[in-house]
Amino acid sequence: MTHSEAEHHETLIIGGGPAGLPLLVVLAGGVWPRYRRCPRLEAAAPDLARRLAALPGPLTELDLEQVARVVRPVDLFNLLHRPENGPSPPERMGMDFIQGARHDALLLTRGNVGGLWNDVPRRLLTLSPAHWMEFAFHPLTVWARENGRDLDPEALIIKQDLIDYYHSIPERFGVSDAVVTNCDVERIEPDPAGFRVTTSRDGRPRCFTSRRLVYAGGQRSRLRRLGIPGEDLPIVSQRYDSPESFLGDRVLVVGGGRSADWAATELFDAGRTVHYVMRQPAANHYRLVSDSLNLPYYARLAEIHRSGSPRWRVSFETHLRAVKSDGTLTLENLSGRWTESADRVLLEIGGDVDYSLFHGFPPFTLVEKRDRYRYQCHQLAVHPHNHESVDAPNLYAGGYLASGINNVVVAMHGATYVIAADILQRHRASEHR
Ligand SMILES: Cc1cc2nc3c(=O)[nH]c(=O)nc-3n(C[C@H](O)[C@H](O)[C@H](O)COP(=O)(O)OP(=O)(O)OC[C@H]3O[C@@H](n4cnc5c(N)ncnc54)[C@H](O)[C@@H]3O)c2cc1C
């Protein structure tokens, strides 16, 4: 195949994280949800429950527009996954899964499947109970049993267990051949076939076309930069794994989000001298910490704040302005500029959704999404019944890149079945034309 030739698939999914990966299983693996009596739905929406019970086929055949008149389809699927709010054993879920036809879908992703969890710190715990992170078709308890792991679905889950779970999915559901890992999508444009996607893998360009495209690149597909002198010096790092692999006694941590909180806490506990610098005012940070005291590592951060340790200093509403190779740092806040020195600088300043990959489409309508503490990302405005962009037909927003979805994994799982149902129905309709 020459560079200009493109490999065609019905559906391309960009991003193999908790949003894109399960969609591949439902589409390419033919793992279809089917309604099973759900007392909670019967109590909340009896007409809808009756309609689902009368559906002869899988839930991917649901009339999503009709459902949307009663409840957002994503919420319906979330409820069927967790009718008891907590972890539901498969036999108590409001859906089970049957083997359906395999759809021609291909997943393109940087690194391995599992999304940003591949790159978070080695010992990071989730913020939420383990079961929030699971896919309905493969509950964590089932995975743990199959793999001889001891795992409490209500407890926080450590990164390594979570990533092992995600890594196991392609083989477990027979979709390994439909995954292209270590693949960087560089450009997405309209094509007579639908979409044209230009990628680079090991420096080699490769093109794909598809009729439909799901963009599930996550909320930090492009890491932010400070745009300051010295940002690319070797003493500055944008990646943190563990104190053992992060050398230097005096560390400046720049951030203010949960990743920076984790790194600053862990580095302090490993005996380092930490200066923690953030743009946000003190009140925002302390509110998040005090709201998160149920999490052991936030309880620890609160303790460190109170400790008065000479190894711990926090500067709010402060900006790093320059870094020199000898470790001289220039910082600035409302009182003025000053210099100090450090052995290493860690930038944990998050990322943005990368819409710059898209060329030649009408301008996308974007919606600013905030949580209780801060700006989170720009979501793509979508039709709530199918998560298709309101601006570009056949383009779907994966996970919480879709407008209206809350920024937690537990709120986005239902989107898998919504998008899959719409794609499968359109595909069937086009075949019968
Ligand atoms: C430190 C941290 C802790 C978190 N803890 C929790 C938690 O406890 N509970 C919770 O619910 N949520 C948590 N989150 C939120 C997190 O966003 C979700 O857990 C989840 O990973 C989102 O899934 P996703 O698939 O949308 O995005 P991601 O996990 O980011 O996956 C997207 C994938 O797409 C790939 N990609 C992006 N652009 C391209 C491109 N151009 N070409 C190819 N591939 C591309 C990325 O490399 C990545 O692999 C946390 C986030 C962070 C940063």
Side-chain angles (χ1 to χ4, degrees):
M1 189 182 295
T2 66
H3 169 40
S4 57
E5 281 177 291
E7 183 179 313
H8 183 78
H9 294 272
E10 273 300 306
T11 302
L12 287 175
I13 303 168
I14 296 173
L21 179 58
L23 190 56
L24 183 75
V25 170
V26 178
L27 288 174
V31 175
W32 290 355
R34 182 176 62 177
Y35 181 66
R36 199 166 43 189
R37 232 197 109 204
C38 179
R40 187 159 157 223
L41 184 69
E42 287 172 351
D47 288 347
L48 179 59
R50 262 194 298 279
R51 229 183 306 144
L52 298 197
L55 194 73
L59 289 168
T60 44
E61 290 173 8
L62 263 184
D63 183 334
L64 296 168
E65 281 192 88
Q66 206 177 53
V67 172
R69 284 184 213 122
V70 184
V71 58
R72 280 196 321 175
V74 60
D75 296 332
L76 170 67
F77 283 106
N78 283 337
L79 182 144
L80 296 179
H81 180 180
R82 290 187 180 77
E84 298 156 8
N85 278 334
S88 298
E91 62 282 5
R92 293 215 296 275
M93 279 185 201
M95 54 186 174
D96 61 4
F97 291 86
I98 54 170
Q99 183 61 54
R102 290 174 182 267
H103 174 84
D104 172 26
L106 188 75
L107 174 72
L108 308 171
T109 194
R110 282 190 198 129
N112 202 344
V113 297
L116 61 77
W117 289 95
N118 286 290
D119 299 318
V120 300
R122 194 179 303 178
R123 299 185 193 89
L124 186 80
L125 289 163
T126 48
L127 300 162
S128 42
H131 71 92
W132 279 29
M133 314 306 286
E134 75 184 17
F135 307 141
F137 52 77
H138 198 41
L140 268 165
T141 46
V142 173
W143 172 78
R145 202 167 51 238
E146 287 179 0
N147 291 278
R149 303 263 179 128
D150 185 19
L151 197 147
D152 175 0
E154 305 239 39
L156 307 182
I157 180 169
I158 195 163
K159 172 228 173 122
Q160 198 53 54
D161 280 338
L162 187 58
I163 209 67
D164 288 349
Y165 166 74
Y166 290 143
H167 286 177
S168 75
I169 296 287
E171 197 184 325
R172 173 69 174 70
F173 290 92
V175 295
S176 302
D177 290 348
V179 181
V180 184
T181 53
N182 302 316
C183 171
D184 205 354
V185 170
E186 294 180 333
R187 193 176 175 88
I188 305 168
E189 55 202 319
D191 182 271
F195 297 87
R196 184 178 189 84
V197 175
T198 308
T199 72
S200 165
R201 194 172 190 234
D202 301 328
R204 281 195 302 276
R206 199 169 158 196
C207 269
F208 299 88
T209 55
S210 67
R211 191 185 294 224
R212 290 168 244 288
L213 187 133
V214 184
Y215 185 49
Q219 79 180 78
R220 39 196 242 166
S221 43
R222 187 169 53 174
L223 289 183
R224 283 191 197 119
R225 291 180 59 81
L226 288 176
I228 58 165
E231 188 166 5
D232 296 317
L233 286 169
I235 66 162
V236 182
S237 176
Q238 272 209 307
R239 178 148 160 54
Y240 173 76
D241 179 61
S242 61
E244 305 86 76
S245 59
F246 199 86
L247 303 178
D249 284 335
R250 296 165 308 149
V251 183
L252 184 91
V253 178
V254 183
R258 295 191 185 259
S259 307
D261 290 343
W262 175 275
T265 305
E266 203 176 52
L267 286 166
F268 176 83
D269 279 341
R272 312 298 170 81
T273 298
V274 175
H275 183 185
Y276 188 9
V277 170
M278 58 189 90
R279 277 187 318 191
Q280 63 187 311
N284 285 27
H285 175 74
Y286 289 126
R287 187 154 59 92
L288 185 139
V289 173
S290 62
D291 287 354
S292 309
L293 291 176
N294 58 316
L295 299 167
Y297 46 97
Y298 271 101
R300 176 64 192 139
L301 179 56
E303 243 172 54
I304 297 173
H305 277 318
R306 286 193 304 267
S307 69
S309 166
R311 289 194 294 107
W312 180 255
R313 188 171 138 221
V314 187
S315 300
F316 298 102
E317 297 181 80
T318 299
H319 301 263
L320 177 63
R321 294 299 187 202
V323 181
K324 286 191 180 155
S325 54
D326 65 357
T328 305
L329 314 174
T330 305
L331 293 128
E332 183 173 12
N333 64 16
L334 282 176
S335 316
R337 278 189 176 220
W338 73 93
T339 58
E340 60 183 57
S341 62
D343 302 315
R344 290 291 296 278
V345 175
L346 173 62
L347 304 182
E348 278 288 359
I349 53 175
D352 290 306
V353 186
D354 191 0
Y355 293 109
S356 73
L357 301 172
F358 292 85
H359 298 267
F361 294 93
F364 292 158
T365 310
L366 300 177
V367 181
E368 191 180 273
K369 177 72 185 168
R370 306 185 74 86
D371 68 8
R372 291 183 58 218
Y373 310 99
R374 59 177 78 92
Y375 161 80
Q376 286 287 345
C377 67
H378 273 95
Q379 296 177 322
L380 194 65
V382 297
H383 300 292
H385 70 278
N386 63 359
H387 298 201
E388 181 190 31
S389 157
V390 298
D391 305 299
N394 295 313
L395 170 65
Y396 298 83
Y400 49 60
L401 299 194
S403 53
I405 307 293
N406 269 341
N407 292 59
V408 275
V409 168
V410 75
M412 79 186 196
H413 286 308
T416 302
Y417 310 101
V418 173
I419 298 173
D422 201 66
I423 288 177
L424 293 175
Q425 289 176 27
R426 285 182 189 203
H427 178 61
R428 200 166 334 111
S430 70
E431 278 190 323
H432 291 151
R433 231 175 268 139

